[in-house]
Amino acid sequence: MIFLQILLGILILETHMSSSVLSRSSTLGKQDAKEGQWPWQVYVRINHASTICGGSLISEQWVLMTAQCFLPSVSLEQSFVRLGAYKLDQPSKHEVKKSIKKVVLHEQYEKAEDGFDIALVQLDSEVSLSAYISPVQLAKPNDVFTEDTECWVTGWGMTRENVPLAPPRTLQEVQLPIIDNRRCQSMYNSEIIREDMMCAGDEDGQKDTCNGDAGGPLVCKKGESWIQAGIVSFGRGCGRPYSPGVYTRVSSFRCWIRKHSGV
């Protein structure tokens, strides 16, 4: 079900119309980011049904994102990654486009709501780092993020349900509070909020992710550094009360990430 929602929502998004229920893909309560402010943010275009997702650069050749963005029939030859992108409809001189060499999906992934919604994308060649393209630090197993931690999500998804980001499709940002897993579970009756998931968003639904942001990073401030704590995974609509976004908890998969990418 979640794959159908992704395919339908993202396909329509590309023609500036859209719809979806569960799959997370833009941010509500969002605002334009500044160019170069989130240099790890990447745009991933996947061939099947013109699917787009977000992702984060974690090294010169590896991108971290969600498994839900890929289907068994994906043709990597027709998929690509845009790094340093800001306005999708107006490519800048800072932007670099790369083909995809390999995709590694978590071996236990079946659907986003069941967890293990994580994937690694290897670029066809290393990208040159700059002020506009640089990797994000990843959360460690002992890192803790609470409602008092400053956290932000970025992406090019819908501004609210059924409302796509208007041209020139400028990268958006929104600050989201972390919601404790127990509190989040009390709001989700049908899905189990696992320990390797985390939740973020306003309980009243004023700030959230939506269609087009799937795979994108949730980053939190620790000292002077930004740390990727989560990956946009799934939710119940966009910006609905008592329906916060659910994210893959990066710290739970550090060993898996290192095993497959060396990062």
Side-chain angles (χ1 to χ4, degrees):
M1 185 63 179
I2 193 166
F3 284 135
L4 293 177
Q5 290 161 339
I6 293 173
L7 294 177
L8 290 174
I10 303 305
L11 176 60
I12 298 174
L13 175 65
E14 286 291 330
T15 58
H16 303 294
M17 299 173 61
S18 72
S19 66
S20 175
V21 179
L22 279 175
S23 189
R24 307 309 269 185
S25 36
S26 166
T27 50
L28 291 90
K30 63 169 74 172
Q31 61 191 23
D32 287 358
K34 295 180 180 179
E35 187 171 16
Q37 186 174 1
W38 311 105
W40 45 80
Q41 175 75 44
V42 302
Y43 168 97
V44 185
R45 174 70 177 267
I46 302 163
N47 79 301
H48 63 76
S50 301
T51 297
I52 63 169
C53 283
S56 56
L57 186 69
I58 61 172
S59 77
E60 289 88 342
Q61 201 170 2
W62 288 95
V63 168
L64 181 66
M65 55 187 299
T66 49
Q68 65 177 275
C69 294
F70 298 93
L71 292 176
S73 59
V74 167
S75 170
L76 298 185
E77 289 77 10
Q78 298 180 45
S79 302
F80 58 83
V81 174
R82 288 168 64 177
L83 306 102
Y86 180 55
K87 296 179 179 180
L88 294 183
D89 299 326
Q90 299 174 5
S92 76
K93 62 181 180 180
H94 307 297
E95 186 175 325
V96 175
K97 181 178 177 181
K98 291 285 187 179
S99 298
I100 297 174
K101 178 179 180 179
K102 180 174 68 174
V103 174
V104 182
L105 306 181
H106 197 286
E107 52 276 6
Q108 291 181 257
Y109 174 78
E110 292 186 3
K111 61 180 181 178
E113 298 96 316
D114 291 341
F116 305 102
D117 189 14
I118 188 169
L120 287 163
V121 170
Q122 185 178 21
L123 306 178
D124 64 337
S125 62
E126 292 189 356
V127 63
S128 297
L129 303 184
S130 69
Y132 299 89
I133 302 174
S134 65
V136 65
Q137 294 184 48
L138 299 179
K140 300 175 182 177
N142 60 347
D143 282 335
V144 177
F145 304 98
T146 69
E147 60 182 10
D148 297 321
T149 309
E150 180 186 353
C151 300
W152 292 75
V153 175
T154 47
W156 289 278
M158 288 191 284
T159 54
R160 59 182 183 273
E161 286 189 43
N162 304 318
V163 180
L165 182 61
R169 293 192 290 168
T170 303
L171 179 65
Q172 302 292 292
E173 63 180 18
V174 63
Q175 185 174 0
L176 297 178
I178 300 297
I179 296 177
D180 178 81
N181 275 31
R182 291 186 180 181
R183 174 60 181 158
C184 188
Q185 182 63 75
S186 71
M187 292 184 274
Y188 274 91
N189 298 319
S190 57
E191 287 85 25
I192 297 176
I193 306 302
R194 298 163 43 92
E195 290 186 1
D196 56 16
M197 300 175 178
M198 60 189 302
C199 300
D202 283 344
E203 291 192 15
D204 61 7
Q206 294 301 307
K207 295 181 179 181
D208 195 10
T209 51
C210 193
N211 299 61
D213 290 324
L218 168 70
V219 296
C220 298
K221 195 76 175 289
K222 289 187 75 72
E224 296 302 313
S225 301
W226 289 102
I227 308 296
Q228 184 171 354
I231 309 170
V232 181
S233 183
F234 72 94
R236 196 161 47 200
C238 306
R240 299 182 185 181
Y242 305 107
S243 302
V246 182
Y247 299 74
T248 301
R249 188 182 293 272
V250 172
S251 61
S252 297
F253 295 95
R254 284 300 285 118
C255 290
W256 184 86
I257 293 170
R258 188 175 297 110
K259 175 183 177 181
H260 293 285
S261 70
V263 179

Coordinates of all heavy atoms in Angstrom, one line a residue, residues 178-241:
I178 N 11.2 16.9 18.8 CA 11.2 15.5 18.9 C 10.1 15.1 19.9 O 9.8 15.7 20.9 CB 12.6 15.0 19.5 CG1 13.7 15.4 18.5 CG2 12.6 13.5 19.7 CD1 13.6 14.8 17.2
I179 N 9.4 14.0 19.6 CA 8.4 13.5 20.4 C 8.8 12.1 21.0 O 9.2 11.2 20.2 CB 7.0 13.3 19.7 CG1 6.5 14.7 19.2 CG2 6.0 12.6 20.5 CD1 5.3 14.7 18.4
D180 N 8.8 11.9 22.3 CA 9.1 10.7 22.9 C 8.4 9.5 22.3 O 7.2 9.6 22.0 CB 8.8 10.8 24.4 CG 9.2 9.5 25.1 OD1 10.3 9.3 25.5 OD2 8.2 8.7 25.4
N181 N 9.1 8.4 22.1 CA 8.5 7.2 21.5 C 7.2 6.7 22.2 O 6.3 6.3 21.5 CB 9.5 6.1 21.4 CG 10.4 6.2 20.1 OD1 10.7 7.3 19.7 ND2 10.8 5.1 19.6
R182 N 7.2 6.8 23.5 CA 6.0 6.3 24.2 C 4.8 7.2 23.9 O 3.7 6.7 23.7 CB 6.3 6.2 25.7 CG 7.3 5.2 26.1 CD 7.4 5.1 27.7 NE 8.3 4.0 28.1 CZ 8.6 3.8 29.3 NH1 8.0 4.4 30.3 NH2 9.5 2.8 29.6
R183 N 5.1 8.5 23.9 CA 4.0 9.4 23.6 C 3.6 9.2 22.1 O 2.4 9.3 21.8 CB 4.5 10.9 23.8 CG 3.5 12.0 23.4 CD 2.2 11.9 24.1 NE 1.3 12.9 23.7 CZ 0.0 12.9 23.8 NH1 -0.6 11.8 24.4 NH2 -0.8 13.8 23.4
C184 N 4.5 9.0 21.3 CA 4.2 8.8 19.9 C 3.4 7.6 19.7 O 2.4 7.5 18.9 CB 5.5 8.7 19.0 SG 5.3 8.7 17.3
Q185 N 3.7 6.5 20.4 CA 3.0 5.2 20.3 C 1.6 5.4 20.7 O 0.6 4.8 20.2 CB 3.7 4.1 21.1 CG 3.0 2.8 21.0 CD 3.0 2.2 19.6 OE1 4.1 1.7 19.2 NE2 1.9 2.2 18.9
S186 N 1.3 6.2 21.7 CA 0.0 6.5 22.2 C -0.9 7.1 21.2 O -2.1 7.0 21.2 CB 0.0 7.3 23.5 OG 0.3 8.7 23.2
M187 N -0.3 7.8 20.2 CA -1.0 8.5 19.1 C -1.2 7.6 17.9 O -2.0 7.9 17.0 CB -0.3 9.8 18.7 CG -0.4 10.8 19.8 SD 0.3 12.4 19.4 CE 2.0 12.1 19.8
Y188 N -0.4 6.5 17.8 CA -0.4 5.6 16.7 C -1.0 4.2 17.2 O -0.2 3.5 17.8 CB 1.0 5.4 16.1 CG 1.3 6.4 15.0 CD1 2.0 7.6 15.4 CD2 1.0 6.2 13.7 CE1 2.3 8.5 14.4 CE2 1.3 7.2 12.7 CZ 2.0 8.3 13.1 OH 2.3 9.3 12.2
N189 N -2.2 4.0 16.9 CA -2.8 2.7 17.3 C -2.5 1.5 16.4 O -2.3 0.4 16.8 CB -4.3 2.9 17.5 CG -4.6 3.9 18.6 OD1 -4.0 4.0 19.6 ND2 -5.6 4.7 18.3
S190 N -2.5 1.8 15.1 CA -2.3 0.7 14.1 C -0.9 0.3 13.8 O -0.6 -0.8 13.5 CB -3.0 1.1 12.8 OG -2.5 2.4 12.3
E191 N 0.0 1.3 14.0 CA 1.4 1.0 13.8 C 2.2 0.9 15.1 O 1.9 1.6 16.0 CB 2.1 2.1 12.9 CG 1.7 2.0 11.4 CD 0.4 2.8 11.2 OE1 0.1 3.7 12.0 OE2 -0.4 2.4 10.3
I192 N 3.2 0.0 15.1 CA 4.1 -0.1 16.2 C 5.3 0.8 16.1 O 6.0 0.7 15.1 CB 4.6 -1.5 16.4 CG1 3.4 -2.4 16.7 CG2 5.6 -1.6 17.6 CD1 3.7 -3.9 16.8
I193 N 5.5 1.7 17.0 CA 6.7 2.6 17.0 C 7.8 1.9 17.6 O 7.9 1.8 18.8 CB 6.4 3.9 17.7 CG1 5.1 4.6 17.1 CG2 7.6 4.9 17.5 CD1 5.2 4.9 15.6
R194 N 8.7 1.4 16.8 CA 9.8 0.5 17.2 C 11.0 1.4 17.8 O 11.0 2.6 17.6 CB 10.4 -0.3 16.0 CG 9.4 -1.2 15.4 CD 9.9 -1.7 14.0 NE 11.3 -1.9 14.0 CZ 11.8 -3.2 14.2 NH1 11.0 -4.2 14.4 NH2 13.1 -3.3 14.1
E195 N 11.9 0.8 18.5 CA 13.0 1.5 19.1 C 13.9 2.1 18.1 O 14.6 3.0 18.3 CB 13.8 0.5 20.1 CG 13.1 0.1 21.3 CD 13.9 -0.7 22.3 OE1 15.1 -0.9 21.9 OE2 13.4 -1.1 23.3
D196 N 13.9 1.4 16.9 CA 14.8 2.0 15.8 C 14.1 3.0 15.0 O 14.5 3.3 13.9 CB 15.4 0.9 15.0 CG 14.3 0.0 14.4 OD1 13.1 0.4 14.3 OD2 14.7 -1.1 13.9
M197 N 13.0 3.5 15.5 CA 12.2 4.7 14.9 C 12.2 5.8 15.9 O 12.5 5.6 17.1 CB 10.8 4.3 14.6 CG 10.6 3.1 13.6 SD 8.8 2.7 13.5 CE 8.8 1.4 12.3
M198 N 11.9 7.0 15.4 CA 11.8 8.2 16.3 C 10.7 9.0 15.6 O 10.4 8.9 14.4 CB 13.1 8.9 16.4 CG 13.7 9.5 15.2 SD 15.4 10.2 15.4 CE 15.1 11.4 16.7
C199 N 10.1 9.9 16.5 CA 9.0 10.7 16.0 C 9.3 12.2 16.2 O 10.0 12.6 17.1 CB 7.7 10.4 16.7 SG 7.2 8.7 16.6
A200 N 8.8 13.0 15.3 CA 9.0 14.5 15.4 C 7.8 15.2 14.7 O 7.2 14.7 13.7 CB 10.3 14.9 14.7
G201 N 7.5 16.3 15.3 CA 6.4 17.1 14.7 C 5.5 17.7 15.8 O 5.6 17.3 17.0
D202 N 4.7 18.7 15.5 CA 3.8 19.3 16.5 C 2.6 18.4 16.7 O 2.1 17.8 15.7 CB 3.3 20.7 15.9 CG 4.3 21.8 16.1 OD1 5.3 21.6 16.9 OD2 4.1 22.8 15.5
E203 N 2.2 18.2 17.9 CA 1.1 17.4 18.2 C -0.2 18.0 17.5 O -1.1 17.2 17.2 CB 0.9 17.2 19.7 CG 2.0 16.3 20.3 CD 1.6 15.9 21.7 OE1 0.5 16.0 22.1 OE2 2.5 15.4 22.4
D204 N -0.2 19.3 17.4 CA -1.4 19.9 16.8 C -1.4 19.9 15.3 O -2.3 20.4 14.6 CB -1.6 21.3 17.3 CG -0.4 22.2 17.0 OD1 0.5 21.8 16.3 OD2 -0.4 23.4 17.5
G205 N -0.3 19.4 14.7 CA -0.2 19.2 13.3 C 0.3 20.4 12.5 O 0.2 20.5 11.3
Q206 N 0.8 21.5 13.2 CA 1.2 22.7 12.5 C 2.5 22.5 11.7 O 2.8 23.3 10.8 CB 1.3 23.8 13.5 CG 0.0 24.2 14.1 CD -1.0 24.7 13.1 OE1 -0.8 25.6 12.3 NE2 -2.2 24.1 13.2
K207 N 3.3 21.6 12.1 CA 4.6 21.4 11.5 C 4.8 19.9 11.2 O 4.6 19.1 12.1 CB 5.8 21.9 12.3 CG 5.7 23.4 12.5 CD 6.9 23.9 13.3 CE 6.9 25.4 13.5 NZ 8.1 25.8 14.3
D208 N 5.2 19.5 10.0 CA 5.3 18.1 9.7 C 6.0 17.9 8.3 O 6.3 18.9 7.6 CB 3.8 17.5 9.6 CG 3.8 16.0 9.6 OD1 4.8 15.4 9.9 OD2 2.7 15.4 9.4
T209 N 6.2 16.6 7.9 CA 6.7 16.3 6.6 C 5.5 15.8 5.8 O 4.4 15.6 6.3 CB 7.8 15.2 6.7 OG1 7.3 14.2 7.4 CG2 9.0 15.8 7.3
C210 N 5.7 15.7 4.4 CA 4.6 15.3 3.6 C 5.2 14.7 2.3 O 6.4 14.3 2.3 CB 3.8 16.5 3.2 SG 2.2 16.2 2.5
N211 N 4.4 14.5 1.3 CA 4.8 13.8 0.0 C 6.0 14.5 -0.7 O 5.9 15.6 -1.0 CB 3.7 13.7 -0.9 CG 2.5 12.9 -0.4 OD1 2.0 13.3 0.6 ND2 2.2 11.8 -1.0
G212 N 7.1 13.8 -0.9 CA 8.2 14.3 -1.6 C 9.5 14.4 -0.7 O 10.5 14.6 -1.2
D213 N 9.3 14.2 0.6 CA 10.4 14.3 1.5 C 11.0 13.0 1.9 O 12.0 13.0 2.7 CB 10.0 15.1 2.8 CG 9.7 16.6 2.6 OD1 10.4 17.2 1.7 OD2 8.8 17.1 3.2
A214 N 10.4 11.9 1.5 CA 10.8 10.6 2.0 C 12.3 10.4 1.7 O 12.8 10.8 0.6 CB 10.0 9.5 1.2
G215 N 13.0 9.9 2.7 CA 14.5 9.7 2.5 C 15.3 10.8 3.0 O 16.5 10.7 3.1
G216 N 14.7 12.0 3.2 CA 15.4 13.2 3.6 C 15.9 13.2 5.1 O 15.4 12.4 5.9
P217 N 16.8 14.1 5.4 CA 17.4 14.0 6.8 C 16.6 14.9 7.8 O 16.2 16.0 7.5 CB 18.8 14.6 6.5 CG 18.5 15.6 5.4 CD 17.5 15.0 4.5
L218 N 16.6 14.3 9.0 CA 16.2 15.1 10.2 C 17.5 15.3 10.9 O 18.1 14.3 11.4 CB 15.2 14.2 11.1 CG 15.0 14.8 12.5 CD1 14.1 16.0 12.5 CD2 14.3 13.7 13.3
V219 N 17.9 16.6 11.0 CA 19.2 16.9 11.7 C 19.0 17.6 13.0 O 18.1 18.4 13.1 CB 20.2 17.6 10.7 CG1 20.5 16.8 9.5 CG2 19.5 19.0 10.3
C220 N 19.8 17.4 14.0 CA 19.7 18.0 15.3 C 21.0 18.6 15.7 O 22.1 18.1 15.3 CB 19.3 17.0 16.3 SG 17.7 16.2 16.0
K221 N 21.0 19.7 16.4 CA 22.1 20.5 16.8 C 22.7 19.9 18.1 O 22.0 19.7 19.1 CB 21.8 22.0 17.0 CG 22.9 22.9 17.1 CD 23.5 23.2 15.7 CE 24.5 24.3 15.7 NZ 24.0 25.6 16.0
K222 N 24.0 19.6 18.0 CA 24.7 19.2 19.2 C 26.0 20.0 19.3 O 26.9 19.8 18.4 CB 25.1 17.7 19.1 CG 23.8 16.8 19.3 CD 24.2 15.3 19.4 CE 24.8 15.0 20.8 NZ 23.8 15.0 21.9
G223 N 26.1 20.9 20.2 CA 27.2 21.8 20.3 C 27.1 22.7 19.1 O 26.1 23.4 18.8
E224 N 28.2 22.8 18.3 CA 28.2 23.6 17.1 C 28.0 22.8 15.8 O 28.1 23.3 14.7 CB 29.6 24.3 17.0 CG 29.8 25.3 18.1 CD 28.8 26.4 18.2 OE1 28.4 26.9 17.1 OE2 28.3 26.7 19.3
S225 N 27.7 21.5 16.0 CA 27.6 20.6 14.8 C 26.1 20.1 14.6 O 25.3 20.0 15.6 CB 28.5 19.3 15.1 OG 29.8 19.7 15.2
W226 N 25.8 19.9 13.4 CA 24.6 19.3 13.0 C 24.8 17.8 12.8 O 25.7 17.3 12.2 CB 24.0 19.9 11.7 CG 23.6 21.3 11.9 CD1 24.2 22.4 11.5 CD2 22.3 21.7 12.5 NE1 23.5 23.5 11.8 CE2 22.3 23.1 12.4 CE3 21.2 21.1 13.1 CZ2 21.3 23.9 12.9 CZ3 20.2 21.8 13.6 CH2 20.2 23.2 13.5
I227 N 23.9 17.0 13.5 CA 24.0 15.5 13.4 C 22.7 15.0 12.8 O 21.6 15.4 13.2 CB 24.1 15.0 14.9 CG1 25.3 15.7 15.6 CG2 24.3 13.5 14.8 CD1 26.6 15.4 15.0
Q228 N 22.8 14.1 11.9 CA 21.6 13.4 11.4 C 21.1 12.4 12.3 O 21.7 11.4 12.6 CB 21.8 12.8 10.0 CG 20.5 12.3 9.4 CD 20.6 11.8 8.0 OE1 21.6 12.0 7.3 NE2 19.5 11.2 7.5
A229 N 19.9 12.7 12.9 CA 19.3 11.8 13.9 C 18.3 10.9 13.2 O 18.1 9.7 13.7 CB 18.6 12.6 14.9
G230 N 17.6 11.3 12.1 CA 16.5 10.5 11.5 C 16.5 10.6 10.0 O 17.1 11.5 9.4
I231 N 15.7 9.7 9.4 CA 15.4 9.7 8.0 C 13.9 9.7 7.8 O 13.2 8.9 8.4 CB 16.0 8.5 7.3 CG1 17.5 8.3 7.7 CG2 15.9 8.6 5.8 CD1 18.0 6.9 7.2
V232 N 13.4 10.7 7.0 CA 12.0 10.8 6.8 C 11.4 9.4 6.3 O 11.9 8.9 5.3 CB 11.6 11.9 5.8 CG1 10.1 12.0 5.6 CG2 12.2 13.2 6.3
S233 N 10.5 8.8 7.0 CA 10.0 7.5 6.7 C 8.5 7.5 6.4 O 8.1 7.4 5.2 CB 10.3 6.5 7.8 OG 9.9 5.2 7.4
F234 N 7.6 7.6 7.4 CA 6.2 7.5 7.1 C 5.4 8.3 8.1 O 5.9 8.9 9.0 CB 5.7 6.0 7.1 CG 5.7 5.4 8.5 CD1 4.5 5.4 9.2 CD2 6.8 4.8 9.0 CE1 4.4 4.8 10.5 CE2 6.7 4.2 10.3 CZ 5.6 4.2 11.0
G235 N 4.1 8.3 7.9 CA 3.2 9.1 8.8 C 1.8 8.9 8.4 O 1.5 8.1 7.5
R236 N 0.9 9.6 9.0 CA -0.5 9.5 8.8 C -1.0 10.8 8.2 O -1.3 11.8 8.9 CB -1.3 9.2 10.1 CG -2.7 8.6 9.9 CD -3.1 7.9 11.2 NE -2.8 8.7 12.4 CZ -2.7 8.2 13.6 NH1 -2.9 6.9 13.8 NH2 -2.4 8.9 14.7
G237 N -1.0 10.9 6.9 CA -1.3 12.1 6.2 C -0.2 13.1 6.4 O 0.9 12.8 6.7
C238 N -0.5 14.4 6.3 CA 0.5 15.5 6.5 C -0.1 16.6 7.4 O -1.1 17.2 7.0 CB 0.8 16.1 5.1 SG 1.4 14.9 3.9
G239 N 0.5 16.8 8.5 CA 0.1 17.9 9.4 C -1.2 17.6 10.1 O -1.9 18.5 10.5
R240 N -1.6 16.4 10.3 CA -2.8 16.1 11.0 C -2.5 16.0 12.5 O -1.5 15.6 12.9 CB -3.4 14.7 10.5 CG -3.7 14.7 9.0 CD -4.3 13.3 8.7 NE -4.5 13.2 7.2 CZ -5.0 12.1 6.6 NH1 -5.4 11.1 7.4 NH2 -5.2 12.1 5.3
P241 N -3.5 16.5 13.3 CA -3.3 16.5 14.7 C -3.0 15.1 15.3 O -3.6 14.1 14.8 CB -4.6 17.1 15.3 CG -5.2 17.9 14.1 CD -4.8 17.1 12.9

